[in-house]
Amino acid sequence: TFWSLAMYDLHVPLQAYAAEVDKQRKQLRALGEGSTEGLSSAEAARRQKDKASATAVLQALERERKVQEAHHAKVMVRLKSEREAWVAASSPEGSDEYAAEVRGMAEALVQQCLFPRALFHVTDALFAAHFVRLLHELRAPHFSIVVLADRVMGDLQCALQLCTAAEATRYGRFLQEFLALLNHWHASRSSFEKHCADSPGFDVRFAIGGKAKAAETGGKRKAMSHDEYRDLVYKWHIKVTKSMVTTLESDEATQIRNTLIVLARLAQGPAAVFPRVSKCVAAVVRRVATIKDKDAREDLKVLAGRVHGMLVSPAAEYVAEEDFHVVPAAVKKRAAEAAAKAKEAALALAKAKEAAEKSLKKEGPVTASGGGGGGDEPDRDRSRGASGEAGERAEGRDRDRDRER
């Protein structure tokens, strides 16, 4: 099913159709408003031809939209009838074996379907992201978009190491579309409750640390709350950050280039999907700035400069960690303790500097010879030695004159 379908089958671009229809109607109105008086026969004929052309395009767009909508409806009926056979599980739901099967099927879907197809073409990358969304919306049995997302984010470093530059551009488009969906549910509680709250795939047992959650619920299904989902999305952003930091610090030009290409796609425009958390932004910007300023490879420096400009742009909006997800009390306590220790260390350093400055003032100015007040003693000794030698020579000359007399 996955390889036999195309983007035309899964998605009807209603907004694109509406925009083009509106454009053609405006053109028709503009052509009909003007008077034909004073126009030459050639100009009048050209206006009539333009009106006929715009009318034909408008009618063709309406027919095409209706045909695609009818085709899409047939495809959806077929997919709904086939969904029971897409993903099979042999273990009873709620068992550890069942959770392992769900994770294994998600890994196979990424490795054998999504990743290879997302590298073919930009439209295939969009198809892969829409197919994931379709699996979730159709409530395909034994499929969890949470498990799939965790697999995709966890495999990012490997993908960045294997892709060519062109493939990285396409894979970045897949990640952009996929992360946009995950971030939308993260930002909108109402959308999450409508599309995800009662979905079988949004089970706390499938989340990171799911075994502990399963133990708390006695192995029974428990729907994931919006706050728990926000925590999960934060962990995915941390995973992506760690993968990109690792590849950006690599000596391999291919890895660095692929990471910068994907970053440029994810951080593009006002609808940027990554990085969103200030902590992640700081980690990524630091590595990108190092490449921009110090890397000897000119092509990487230029690409890094472009990405750096996007990340530090005034138009870019980031949020603090506590605004992105619910920070546990223990984490807040550790962060507060670390901040207090850093403040104490800064105060101790300031006091040490102040004490050193006071000590230098008490000792007085340093002379050119490098010593303090006692440094003049050797000079005085040398002066006394020189004057004594001159006196002895004068006395010797006086004795010689007395003998001559």
Side-chain angles (χ1 to χ4, degrees):
T1 299
F2 178 83
W3 292 101
S4 65
L5 296 174
M7 195 65 188
Y8 181 85
D9 303 310
L10 299 188
H11 178 64
V12 181
L14 294 177
Q15 291 183 345
Y17 275 121
E20 191 60 32
V21 166
D22 186 59
K23 176 183 174 182
Q24 295 300 323
R25 284 176 177 167
K26 286 181 179 178
Q27 185 176 352
L28 278 173
R29 284 196 297 270
L31 290 171
E33 287 174 356
S35 174
T36 57
E37 293 183 7
L39 295 179
S40 64
S41 58
E43 290 175 339
R46 185 169 63 252
R47 176 176 288 191
Q48 284 298 115
K49 184 178 180 181
D50 290 342
K51 286 176 66 176
S53 176
T55 303
V57 170
L58 186 60
Q59 293 172 349
L61 285 170
E62 293 288 353
R63 286 196 303 270
E64 183 181 311
R65 178 183 59 79
K66 290 178 181 178
V67 168
Q68 188 173 0
E69 285 180 331
H71 174 75
H72 174 70
K74 290 180 181 179
V75 171
M76 294 305 294
V77 170
R78 170 197 157 196
L79 295 179
K80 287 178 181 178
S81 66
E82 295 177 352
R83 63 183 174 180
E84 298 292 334
W86 285 345
V87 183
S90 57
S91 303
E93 291 190 27
S95 64
D96 292 341
E97 292 77 11
Y98 175 74
E101 282 190 73
V102 171
R103 290 186 174 86
M105 288 181 284
E107 183 175 356
L109 181 61
V110 172
Q111 294 179 353
Q112 299 176 23
C113 297
L114 300 179
F115 182 68
R117 182 149 186 182
L119 303 185
F120 281 157
H121 193 271
V122 173
T123 54
D124 289 297
L126 289 172
F127 170 84
H130 277 270
F131 189 81
V132 171
R133 182 170 188 163
L134 178 68
L135 287 174
H136 170 72
E137 290 176 347
L138 291 178
R139 294 173 177 267
H142 320 304
F143 170 77
S144 171
I145 196 171
V146 168
V147 176
L148 183 78
D150 192 56
R151 184 74 267 166
V152 170
M153 306 312 161
D155 288 348
L156 178 59
Q157 182 178 341
C158 181
L160 293 173
Q161 293 170 342
L162 296 175
C163 290
T164 64
E167 289 171 342
T169 301
R170 299 162 196 153
Y171 196 65
R173 187 69 183 90
F174 163 74
L175 287 176
Q176 182 188 33
E177 196 74 14
F178 191 29
L179 274 171
L181 175 64
L182 300 177
N183 288 351
H184 173 67
W185 291 335
H186 169 275
S188 173
R189 184 181 293 272
S190 60
S191 180
F192 174 84
E193 291 175 351
K194 179 181 179 181
H195 298 286
C196 311
D198 61 342
S199 172
F202 279 80
D203 189 336
V204 295
R205 296 172 298 176
F206 298 141
I208 300 172
K211 288 187 177 180
K213 297 281 187 181
E216 293 175 7
T217 61
K220 297 180 181 179
R221 181 185 181 277
K222 180 177 179 292
M224 187 180 298
S225 69
H226 188 241
D227 286 340
E228 288 173 325
Y229 176 71
R230 283 163 62 87
D231 290 338
L232 200 55
V233 175
Y234 171 75
K235 291 173 183 177
W236 290 334
H237 277 245
I238 293 296
K239 275 190 174 185
V240 174
T241 302
K242 288 181 178 179
S243 295
M244 290 191 170
V245 165
T246 300
T247 50
L248 287 172
E249 290 179 342
S250 168
D251 292 331
E252 293 291 331
T254 301
Q255 294 185 35
I256 297 173
R257 184 180 295 106
N258 289 345
T259 305
L260 292 173
I261 289 172
V262 172
L263 256 178
R265 171 60 69 176
L266 300 184
Q268 188 176 49
V273 296
F274 178 87
R276 306 302 312 137
V277 187
S278 298
K279 182 166 71 172
C280 300
V281 175
V284 173
V285 167
R286 194 179 312 122
R287 273 72 179 190
V288 173
T290 300
I291 298 170
K292 176 179 73 77
D293 297 333
K294 299 180 180 180
D295 200 287
R297 292 159 288 198
E298 195 62 31
D299 58 331
L300 295 182
K301 290 182 70 173
V302 172
L303 184 55
R306 175 189 166 210
V307 174
H308 186 269
M310 297 168 67
L311 293 173
V312 301
S313 168
E317 297 180 359
Y318 307 118
V319 298
E321 179 184 348
E322 56 268 22
D323 295 326
F324 195 82
H325 76 124
V326 179
V327 181
V331 176
K332 286 185 177 179
K333 184 179 178 182
R334 287 197 299 269
E337 290 174 352
K341 288 181 180 179
K343 187 176 180 179
E344 289 176 4
L347 288 174
L349 180 60
K351 288 180 180 179
K353 288 183 177 179
E354 185 179 355
E357 290 174 357
K358 288 181 179 179
S359 177
L360 288 173
K361 287 179 180 178
K362 286 181 180 179
E363 292 177 1
V366 179
T367 63
S369 61
D376 294 336
E377 291 299 322
D379 293 337
R380 286 196 290 269
D381 292 341
R382 285 193 293 271
S383 299
R384 285 195 294 269
S387 60
E389 291 174 1
E392 289 173 1
R393 285 195 296 272
E395 290 176 0
R397 286 195 297 270
D398 291 340
R399 285 194 295 270
D400 292 338
R401 281 195 295 270
D402 290 340
R403 280 194 296 270
E404 287 174 359
R405 290 194 191 98

